[in-house]
Amino acid sequence: MSATTTTGAGPAQAFPGYLECLAEADEQAAVAVARGLLEAGVPAERVLLDLVAPAQAEVGERWARNEWSVAQEHAATHISERVVAAVAAYADPRPTRGRIVMACMDGEWHALPARLVAEVLRLRGWQVVFLGASVPAAHLVSYLHRYDADAVALACALPMRLPHAHRMIEACRRSDVPVVVGGRGFGADGRWARVLGVPWAPDAPAAADLVADDRALRAAPVARLDHLADDEYASLVKRRGELIDSALADLRERVPAVADYTPAQLDSTVGDLGYIVDFLAAALYVDDQTLFAEFVEWLVEILVSRGVPAGAVGLTLDHYGHELRDFPRAAGFLERGRAVVGGLSAATAGR
């Protein structure tokens, strides 16, 4: 891939060549594509949002479709991070506004989307402190106690982190620092941010507008979490390990092939069993069965692309449903998940 194959009117024209750079793990050429756009007069913000961001989204889709391995996805992500750094260095903005602290939720390792938001804020004049991936709430609060901040921006890519997100949001507020959140973990329309009672921005420009409006930033909606009084969420979390162990034992009994799994396959299976519990817990936390149903659909599509039949997920949902039969909300969410699996199984059989 030649570093000069970048030209065109803007990011849309440069996109195919840039994606090829990521596919070939050609960092130098990828940086050259971005630099070529900057030198042609394309604003740095557009390079970040109209080139790097959609390319990274495509990287994730290729991994999900099993077209790229984890190694390829990691290599491409690393290159994207280097490109973001190169764009930031080229633009070299000078801060003219206050300080924003940007962090990912505890346990959240998808840092690139948050980094893109941080750079857009920096381009718009903010002094941004980017704390990176998986920041424990206690460490974030300790940082806020030592350094003044006009606002905290928190990113969450996975809805299963919503209970952690709420704890981080409340910890920041106890430090009297307003919070704005973003990321797909809060729902495509921010619905779960509203449940948690926190302002949500759908993208980097919206986040920049929100942190610039102190009144809007502090006018948070009222959290709607009365449903937690039924204790289903807390009880499910306490039983997490027990549920995973029993589900694995059930699979071994009902699916003979599990006995021949390699250690890697077994680890992956245990991980998936845990994800099901974690997403169910998050759905209970915000009281939204669509959160769990959307996860089940995603998980089935991922597993089917890797040769695992959709029915395997259905077996686990059946097991969890039996184990949690005394949890009315959880049982209803699991029933919805089983309906999703049934629909996907029928669609797969009809192909």
Side-chain angles (χ1 to χ4, degrees):
M1 174 70 190
S2 170
T4 60
T5 314
T6 68
T7 56
Q13 290 72 25
F15 182 85
Y18 180 77
L19 197 57
E20 184 179 342
C21 295
L22 298 185
E24 296 297 323
D26 192 337
E27 178 182 326
Q28 184 178 11
V31 171
V33 172
R35 183 175 290 274
L37 290 170
L38 294 168
E39 291 174 348
V42 177
E45 185 171 316
R46 281 195 60 205
V47 175
L48 295 175
L49 300 182
D50 298 342
L51 179 71
V52 180
Q56 192 61 26
E58 176 60 23
V59 168
E61 288 296 322
R62 291 186 180 191
W63 170 83
R65 296 192 299 264
N66 204 29
E67 296 173 10
W68 280 16
S69 68
V70 170
Q72 288 174 296
E73 183 271 329
H74 284 185
T77 299
H78 168 74
I79 291 171
S80 293
E81 291 169 345
R82 298 288 292 172
V83 170
V84 171
V87 172
Y90 184 94
D92 194 25
R94 294 291 181 263
T96 58
R97 311 172 92 162
R99 176 181 291 160
I100 305 295
V101 174
M102 181 91 208
C104 296
M105 303 297 175
D106 191 5
E108 177 58 73
W109 296 99
H110 297 79
L112 184 57
R115 174 74 187 280
L116 288 168
V117 175
E119 294 306 330
V120 169
L121 291 171
R122 191 174 282 117
L123 287 168
R124 296 199 179 191
W126 292 96
Q127 179 185 350
V128 181
V129 179
F130 181 57
L131 301 183
S134 191
V135 180
H139 293 200
L140 175 59
V141 170
S142 176
Y143 187 91
L144 294 176
H145 285 164
R146 293 184 61 187
Y147 302 98
D148 291 334
D150 292 88
V152 174
L154 298 176
C156 180
L158 297 173
M160 73 175 186
R161 299 294 177 196
L162 286 171
H164 298 280
H166 190 222
R167 288 192 283 274
M168 290 188 75
I169 291 163
E170 292 304 306
C172 291
R173 285 177 170 163
R174 286 194 293 272
S175 301
D176 197 32
V177 182
V179 181
V180 59
V181 300
R184 290 180 297 176
F186 291 99
D189 57 358
R191 72 186 76 167
W192 300 316
R194 291 190 290 275
V195 173
L196 299 183
V198 62
W200 171 80
D203 52 34
D209 292 340
L210 189 53
V211 296
D213 186 343
D214 188 67
R215 178 177 296 181
L217 193 59
R218 292 183 180 274
V222 176
R224 306 194 303 273
L225 296 169
D226 292 346
H227 51 271
L228 293 178
D230 67 10
D231 208 36
E232 283 200 31
Y233 165 77
S235 298
L236 178 63
V237 171
K238 289 178 184 177
R239 293 183 58 183
R240 182 181 189 276
E242 166 203 333
L243 286 167
I244 294 170
D245 289 344
S246 66
L248 182 59
D250 183 69
L251 279 178
R252 281 178 166 145
E253 182 177 334
R254 300 171 70 180
V255 183
V258 174
D260 298 322
Y261 276 10
T262 65
Q265 288 175 314
L266 198 59
D267 285 346
S268 180
T269 300
V270 171
D272 290 338
L273 296 176
Y275 285 140
I276 293 172
V277 175
D278 293 340
F279 273 87
L280 178 60
L284 290 173
Y285 198 88
V286 296
D287 196 32
D288 191 341
Q289 65 177 339
T290 62
L291 187 160
F292 188 67
E294 289 170 2
F295 160 72
V296 169
E297 181 176 2
W298 175 85
L299 179 63
V300 169
E301 289 175 352
I302 293 291
L303 293 178
V304 167
S305 74
R306 287 154 175 76
V308 178
V313 176
L315 291 177
T316 296
L317 297 183
D318 286 341
H319 176 77
Y320 284 154
H322 175 75
E323 293 296 311
L324 298 171
R325 58 190 178 278
D326 294 329
F327 291 57
R329 286 198 296 131
F333 293 0
L334 287 162
E335 182 61 34
R336 171 75 179 275
R338 287 195 289 272
V340 170
V341 173
L344 292 173
S345 296
T348 301
R351 290 174 186 169

